[in-house]
Amino acid sequence: MNITKNLTEFGGKSEATFDNSEVFAAAFDFFSRNKGGELIISAGTWRTGPIDLCSGMTLTLEENAVIQFIAEPARYKPVKTRWEGVVCHAMHPCIFAANATDVTVRGKGTFDGNGSFWWAEKRRKKTQTKPVEPFELELAALNPGYEKQPGGGGGRETQFLRPALMQFYECENVKVEGITLKNSPFWTFHPVFTKNLTVEGICISNPEDAPNTDGMDIDSCENVSIRNCTVSVGDDGIAIKAGAGEDGIRINRKSRHVLVDNCTVNKGHGGIVLGSETAAGIEDVTVTNCTFCGTDRGIRLKTRRGRGGTVHNLHFDNLKITGCLCPFAINMFYCCGTKRCEPEFFSQEALPVNEATPHLTDITIRNVHATGCKASAGFIAALPEAPLTNLIIQNCIFETDENAPEKPDLSDMFSGIPETSEKSFRILNAENPVFDNVSIIGPKEPFLLH
C-alpha cells in the first residue's frame, strides 16, 4: 500500500517563525514504521533543522515549496560520514539518508541551505588554527588524529566540518529529480558509497564567492547517471571523488560507471572534475553533450603525491567550453589544502612509486570546442615517476584570448612547476599523447613540451 501524506497532517506550518524540526521527525518516523510512502511539501517556506530520510519513501516538493534550514551549528549533531575524502564524524547534513534503499526526492521545489551564515563563519575562522567552538571540540574528540588527516582547504584543522546540503551515505537505488538546491553551507549534493543513483533535471545554485560550495561530489559511488542538470557554484561544478590518502586507500571503494550527459555548468572552479580525492580509483566515466560557460576550467583532473589511486577509462565527447581560464587541465601537482604536505610532493624529480602514488591513463577527448580561454589552451602536468599514458585528443579546437590579462600559471592550482609566459597547450610528463585534428588558435607556439 502506497501511503501519501502532506506535511501539514503532522502539524507542519509554513510560517516565518515556526520550527518544523519535530514535525519532519514525526513524519519520517511514520514513514519508517510503515516501510515507506510519499510525503508532500506544499507551496510555502518550511523552516527546519536537519532532517533524515528513510527507506522506501518519496519526498515531493510542489512548485514554490521551500525547505529552509535553520543556520544554528548546535542543531547539526555529529554523524559518521566522509568529509573531504576522510571517513570521520562531521556535522549532520541538512538533508540526510544513511543505509537507506529506494529513496526518491523530486518536484519543482527548493532546498535552501541558508548558507550565508556558514560562509561568513568560514571566513571569520580563516586565521583559526585549532578547534575553539563547543561543536568543534566535540568533533575533535570524535576524530582522534584529525590533525594529520588530509584536507582540500575546507578547514579540517579547526574541525568546523560544515554540513553538506544533501547527502546519501551507504544508500542504494536513489533518484533525485527536478528540485533546486541552493545556498549550501558546504558541498551541495554529496552521495557517498551509494549505488544505482539517478539525478535528472536538478538545478544547483550557490554564489560565485561562497567557499567550498561544490555542486555535485560523486564520492565512491557506482552506477550513476546525471542528466539535464544546471550548476552554478563557488567551487567545482560536477566532481567525482574516491577518498583521500591513507584512509581512502584503506577503504578502497572506487567511483565507477558514471555518466554525465547534457548538463550545463555556469561558474565554478571546474565544469567536470575528477579528484583531488583519488585514493581508491575512478574508472569508466563518460561525459557527453555538456556546456561549461565561465568556469575556471572545463575538464579538470587533479591529484598529487600522497593521494593515491588509478584514474582511467575516461571519455569526454561533444563539449562546448566558453570563457574559461583553461579548457583542459590534468594537474598531479595540485597544491590546495597542502599546509601539512612535505615539499617533495611537488618535486620535479622522479620519486619512488608506492601505493600513495596516483596514476592516470586511458583518457579520450573528442569534439571539444573551447573559445575565449584566458590563461592557456591546455595544461598537463603528470608526475615524472607516473607519467600520463594513453591520452587521445581528437577533433578539438582550443582557442585562447591572447589579450586577456590572466597569466598561464592560473591554468590550475599547482606548485613546483616553472613559470611560462606563453598561453600554449603545456605538457609535462605525458607518454606519446595523440593529437588528431586538433587546432590550437592564438598562442605563437601551439604546444610547450617538457
Side-chain angles (χ1 to χ4, degrees):
M1 180 175 64
N2 186 24
I3 302 171
T4 300
K5 294 278 188 179
N6 193 290
L7 188 67
T8 56
E9 297 180 61
F10 298 91
K13 299 178 183 179
S14 60
E15 297 177 359
T17 60
F18 189 78
D19 181 357
N20 286 282
S21 299
E22 293 185 2
V23 176
F24 274 107
F28 294 131
D29 177 68
F30 170 85
F31 287 110
S32 179
R33 287 185 284 107
N34 286 276
K35 301 188 184 304
E38 181 180 15
L39 177 64
I40 297 175
I41 313 297
S42 300
T45 298
W46 309 82
R47 297 174 67 251
T48 182
I51 59 180
D52 292 87
L53 303 178
C54 64
S55 292
M57 76 166 296
T58 296
L59 178 61
T60 300
L61 276 65
E62 295 184 337
E63 191 169 7
N64 297 320
V66 178
I67 296 179
Q68 185 179 72
F69 293 93
I70 299 168
E72 295 175 0
R75 292 174 175 264
Y76 297 80
K77 301 298 183 183
V79 296
K80 185 179 180 181
T81 181
R82 179 183 263 178
W83 202 90
E84 285 196 337
V86 176
V87 172
C88 62
H89 285 82
M91 300 176 81
H92 192 298
C94 296
I95 182 166
F96 188 46
N99 303 107
T101 59
D102 304 308
V103 178
T104 298
V105 181
R106 67 183 184 186
K108 297 182 179 180
T110 298
F111 292 91
D112 184 348
N114 211 2
S116 57
F117 164 83
W118 302 95
W119 310 329
E121 283 295 281
K122 164 62 177 172
R123 296 185 184 102
R124 185 177 69 83
K125 293 174 179 291
K126 189 173 182 179
T127 59
Q128 184 178 322
T129 59
K130 62 181 181 180
V132 174
E133 308 279 356
F135 58 87
E136 295 169 344
L137 294 168
E138 182 180 12
L139 286 171
L142 290 168
N143 295 326
Y146 73 88
E147 301 92 340
K148 296 181 180 180
Q149 292 173 345
R156 190 181 300 280
E157 66 278 2
T158 67
Q159 291 292 281
F160 182 47
L161 307 185
R162 289 169 284 158
L165 179 50
M166 178 177 286
Q167 184 175 99
F168 297 91
Y169 187 85
E170 291 278 13
C171 293
E172 193 166 350
N173 303 331
V174 174
K175 294 181 180 179
V176 181
E177 302 170 343
I179 60 165
T180 294
L181 299 168
K182 71 177 187 178
N183 299 326
S184 179
F186 185 59
W187 293 356
T188 307
F189 179 70
H190 184 205
V192 184
F193 307 142
T194 291
K195 297 180 180 180
N196 305 329
L197 168 65
T198 300
V199 184
E200 173 72 35
I202 75 170
C203 177
I204 294 176
S205 178
N206 299 314
E208 189 175 353
D209 63 348
N212 312 112
T213 53
D214 294 14
M216 301 187 197
D217 291 278
I218 309 303
D219 199 345
S220 292
C221 296
E222 299 183 28
N223 303 326
V224 179
S225 173
I226 301 168
R227 295 179 183 271
N228 306 315
C229 297
T230 302
V231 178
S232 182
V233 293
D235 209 308
D236 289 329
I238 300 172
I240 304 170
K241 302 176 179 291
E246 293 180 2
D247 188 71
I249 293 169
R250 175 183 60 82
I251 291 172
N252 193 31
R253 294 179 67 170
K254 300 177 184 291
S255 272
R256 56 187 174 187
H257 312 314
V258 179
L259 171 67
V260 180
D261 179 54
N262 198 37
C263 293
T264 299
V265 181
N266 299 309
K267 303 299 182 182
H269 292 179
I272 181 70
V273 182
L274 284 76
S276 65
E277 296 87 343
T278 56
I282 299 169
E283 62 185 35
D284 301 332
V285 176
T286 299
V287 182
T288 63
N289 309 314
C290 293
T291 299
F292 306 137
C293 180
T295 58
D296 290 346
R297 295 106 204 152
I299 303 167
R300 187 186 195 194
L301 284 69
K302 53 179 179 173
T303 187
R304 62 173 174 264
R305 294 176 175 117
R307 292 266 154 155
T310 296
V311 179
H312 71 110
N313 200 19
L314 314 179
H315 301 273
F316 305 92
D317 190 15
N318 194 29
L319 307 182
K320 182 179 180 182
I321 303 170
T322 60
C324 64
L325 291 173
C326 177
F328 172 55
I330 290 181
N331 178 14
M332 299 180 77
F333 293 86
Y334 182 65
C335 64
C336 188
T338 56
K339 292 180 181 179
R340 294 178 294 276
C341 286
E342 298 297 331
E344 59 262 27
F345 277 30
F346 306 106
S347 171
Q348 293 300 305
E349 300 295 325
L351 300 183
V353 173
N354 56 40
E355 66 176 356
T357 303
H359 298 268
L360 283 83
T361 186
D362 303 326
I363 301 170
T364 301
I365 300 170
R366 293 189 174 99
N367 305 310
V368 173
H369 191 181
T371 58
C373 306
K374 301 172 186 177
S376 72
F379 176 80
I380 296 172
L383 298 174
E385 68 271 21
L388 172 67
T389 60
N390 198 19
L391 170 68
I392 300 173
I393 302 181
Q394 294 179 319
N395 304 326
C396 294
I397 299 172
F398 302 108
E399 183 175 352
T400 61
D401 179 356
E402 291 297 306
N403 295 318
E406 288 81 0
K407 296 182 178 180
D409 286 348
L410 291 176
S411 296
D412 206 357
M413 302 171 183
F414 57 78
S415 183
I417 297 172
E419 294 184 4
T420 181
S421 60
E422 297 292 333
K423 298 188 178 186
S424 311
F425 197 120
R426 192 176 186 189
I427 304 173
L428 292 83
N429 303 316
E431 290 187 353
N432 302 316
V434 174
F435 289 83
D436 177 20
N437 191 30
V438 174
S439 296
I440 308 293
I441 301 173
K444 295 178 181 178
E445 296 291 334
F447 296 95
L448 289 180
L449 304 177
H450 299 263

